[in-house]
Amino acid sequence: MINDVWVFGDSHWRVFFPFVNHGAATDNAAHTENDIMTIDTIANELSGSTMWGLLNNKSKHGARNRILETLNALGGTAENVGLVFGEVDARYHYDRYFAGDRFVLANLLELLARYTRFIHEDLLASGLVKKNVFVYHGFWYPKRGETLQQPGQPIGDAGFAKADAVNGWINELLPTVLQHKQVHTIRPSLSHAVSDDGVHLIPEKVYPHVLAAMSRVLNPSSREISF
């Protein structure tokens, strides 16, 4: 039996597919492997979306409304969903989690609580997702002193360190916050899989890890994938 996984996320959403994870893409792209079909219904139209905005009906990128509208249009048939959010929160909005140079854990916990509410209440408790939510959160920044770019503003060393710190805290705490029998976090350790832009992950290197994690849940009797 083929298990469908409907995938939504920022520009990193292609970690659920073994091909390009940013730039233009075709609606309804799908890939089937090991009896799991990952399905992309809205291409890369949520690029730049944040975890924070998933509880905001009027967010800049409209991710919340787009996801809920897409799932509603499926008529209650979405058994599994894959989510890829959080990297933009760290890279573009890191100052929300600092008071000057002091990291404010309470602010980050609020971010994680918002993500948790979206998943537990809007997706699972609502019945829009019947079985499983797979949450990818394994982003990585190179530690070679490069600067990352924001629109019109480079992130200097201080900003880079803050973005990296927020990203690290998200990766560390998210699995604990999201504990639920229907929610499965995926965080492969793949520092070697970052593309030349220093931000996006190379999907053909990351996807086997994501597929293995989904397979352990969806096809527990299948042979373990090796890579």
Side-chain angles (χ1 to χ4, degrees), residues 169-188:
W169 277 105
I170 291 174
N171 288 340
E172 186 70 26
L173 295 177
L174 194 61
T176 299
V177 174
L178 284 179
Q179 284 190 19
H180 188 284
K181 64 180 180 180
Q182 292 174 265
V183 181
H184 314 278
T185 55
I186 305 174
R187 181 194 175 187

Side-chain angles (χ1 to χ4, degrees), residues 97-105 162:
Y97 311 102
F98 281 84
D101 291 329
R102 181 175 62 86
F103 177 70
V104 182
L105 180 59
K162 288 181 177 179

Side-chain angles (χ1 to χ4, degrees), residues 7-89:
V7 181
F8 302 93
D10 58 27
S11 61
H12 298 266
W13 95 122
R14 286 296 186 202
V15 297
F16 278 89
F17 301 84
F19 39 83
V20 63
N21 73 340
H22 60 289
T26 303
D27 287 353
N28 298 314
H31 177 77
T32 302
E33 191 170 334
N34 201 39
D35 293 330
I36 297 173
M37 176 184 288
T38 48
I39 305 166
D40 171 22
T41 61
I42 52 179
N44 195 16
E45 295 177 21
L46 300 184
S47 178
S49 297
T50 62
M51 288 166 53
W52 184 272
L54 291 174
L55 281 191
N56 182 1
N57 286 320
K58 298 181 179 180
S59 66
K60 178 180 178 181
H61 296 89
R64 172 183 173 82
N65 293 335
R66 293 295 303 278
I67 293 171
L68 298 182
E69 288 169 2
T70 300
L71 293 175
N72 273 305
L74 295 173
T77 61
E79 294 192 341
N80 308 290
V81 159
L83 299 177
V84 187
F85 293 96
E87 194 277 330
V88 179
D89 295 88

